[in-house]
Amino acid sequence: MAEFDAVSKHLIQTYPEDFAGFALGREDVQVLEVIDVQQPTVSASHADSLIRVRINGDEALVHTEFQTTDSTDPPMPRRMAGYIGRAIERHGVPVCSSVIYLRPDAGRRDPGQYSQEHPGYRVLVQYKVIRLSELDGQRVLDAGHEGLIAFAPLMKPPAAMASRAWLRRCMRTANARSMASPAKADFLAGMSLLSGLVYRPETITDIISKEGMMDLVRESSFAQYLTRQGIEQGIEKGIEQGIEQGIEKGIEQGIEQGIEQGLRDSILAVLETRFGVPASHSYTARIENVDDAQRLKELLRGAVQAASLDAFGQLLDEEPE
């Protein structure tokens, strides 16, 4: 799930002090550098985040991995052993590693260590397992660490508080933070996206709409990124389907049908990203029944530019010229 990785990595790179302190469970951490893990000299298999810090006068690396599901190929302990070993080889300082599980059902069987008991060649690599659903979310809101507030909806709400009320409180807390408009737009959009791991899209959309955040979220770089990704993936899928159909029905006809399907997938992806439209919505079947490429292009432009879902619905109701 690249979108969740993108948001998590953006937040940790923007607020490294918050994450370093959170992972280590202490406040006396001085951040020296956020290491660019995309450099080929760092590792052929990229870690999610490496932060060089100083603790009590000594340097160390804070290594963080974000997981939405359990890693099975390879299992998480093997992956972490590889990341930690390469980081030690490359940087030559102690490595403090953590896996942060975002979904409530993930990481329950992660032992927090890789162990090899072969006689004479014992290996033990330990790391911290952090499951957000087990953490006190209100403590995070009260502490005011901006980098962590975006993850608060995935944490445990106060006793007797309904999940929807908790999400609203988290959103309000984030919106109340003092920051420049572009940064706040990205922050709220990132929080909304992460919330989708636990909450239904329509619940998130309803709250940000009622709290007056929708326009700000739509302006964020995350929203634009997801829109582009949806369009590109939809067109790519459509072309692939078209080529497969072309083998039997003729290459030209297959590609044409594939492009049309790509446009349909792109429209649905944009509607889901911007307005939280689920696959079961009545618009989905109507869009799937449109078989004119020019009409589909008009609807795609409308999905990207419409001020509201109702405005798009009016365009969908119009008779094609």
Side-chain angles (χ1 to χ4, degrees), residues 62-125:
V62 176
H63 163 227
T64 306
E65 292 295 310
F66 294 98
Q67 284 290 120
T68 55
T69 60
D70 294 319
S71 177
T72 57
D73 188 21
M76 203 68 212
R78 278 175 50 193
R79 279 182 55 192
M80 292 298 286
Y83 290 140
I84 294 168
R86 285 188 290 270
I88 292 173
E89 177 188 24
R90 171 68 181 170
H91 299 280
V93 297
V95 179
C96 307
S97 292
S98 301
V99 181
I100 298 179
Y101 286 97
L102 304 178
R103 287 189 188 275
D105 58 349
R108 293 176 178 172
R109 294 185 297 275
D110 191 331
Q113 65 178 36
Y114 172 81
S115 177
Q116 175 182 292
E117 300 295 342
H118 191 77
Y121 299 94
R122 185 171 185 268
V123 176
L124 177 63
V125 180

Side-chain angles (χ1 to χ4, degrees), residues 19-187:
F19 280 92
F22 171 68
L24 296 174
R26 55 194 300 169
E27 298 290 336
D28 59 335
V29 181
Q30 178 187 0
V31 171
L32 303 177
E33 176 190 10
V34 178
I35 297 174
D36 183 1
V37 295
Q38 297 303 318
Q39 293 179 4
T41 54
V42 174
S43 166
S45 179
H46 301 311
D48 279 352
S49 170
L50 286 175
I51 304 172
R52 187 183 295 272
V53 302
R54 181 176 286 116
I55 310 169
N56 292 333
D58 297 323
E59 288 193 14
L61 288 181
V62 176
H63 163 227
T64 306
E65 292 295 310
F66 294 98
Q67 284 290 120
T68 55
T69 60
D70 294 319
S71 177
T72 57
D73 188 21
M76 203 68 212
R78 278 175 50 193
R79 279 182 55 192
M80 292 298 286
Y83 290 140
I84 294 168
R86 285 188 290 270
I88 292 173
E89 177 188 24
R90 171 68 181 170
H91 299 280
V93 297
V95 179
C96 307
S97 292
S98 301
V99 181
I100 298 179
Y101 286 97
L102 304 178
R103 287 189 188 275
D105 58 349
R108 293 176 178 172
R109 294 185 297 275
D110 191 331
Q113 65 178 36
Y114 172 81
S115 177
Q116 175 182 292
E117 300 295 342
H118 191 77
Y121 299 94
R122 185 171 185 268
V123 176
L124 177 63
V125 180
Q126 294 180 313
Y127 55 92
K128 184 184 294 186
V129 174
I130 301 174
R131 299 183 66 246
L132 294 185
S133 62
E134 298 174 352
L135 303 183
D136 185 345
Q138 188 59 52
R139 290 184 62 183
V140 170
L141 296 189
D142 293 341
H145 298 306
E146 289 182 356
L148 304 177
I149 288 175
F151 293 89
L154 308 181
M155 300 179 186
K156 186 165 54 179
M161 175 173 282
S163 59
R164 183 185 180 92
W166 171 239
L167 178 58
R168 182 182 293 107
R169 177 179 291 184
C170 293
M171 290 289 186
R172 286 178 175 174
T173 301
N175 195 34
R177 305 295 296 182
S178 177
M179 60 180 75
S181 180
K184 179 173 285 191
D186 284 347
F187 191 83

Side-chain angles (χ1 to χ4, degrees), residues 14 16 54 148 175 212-213 217 222 247 265 278:
T14 306
R54 181 176 286 116
L148 304 177
N175 195 34
M213 307 177 196
V217 169
F222 283 132
I247 294 174
D265 291 341

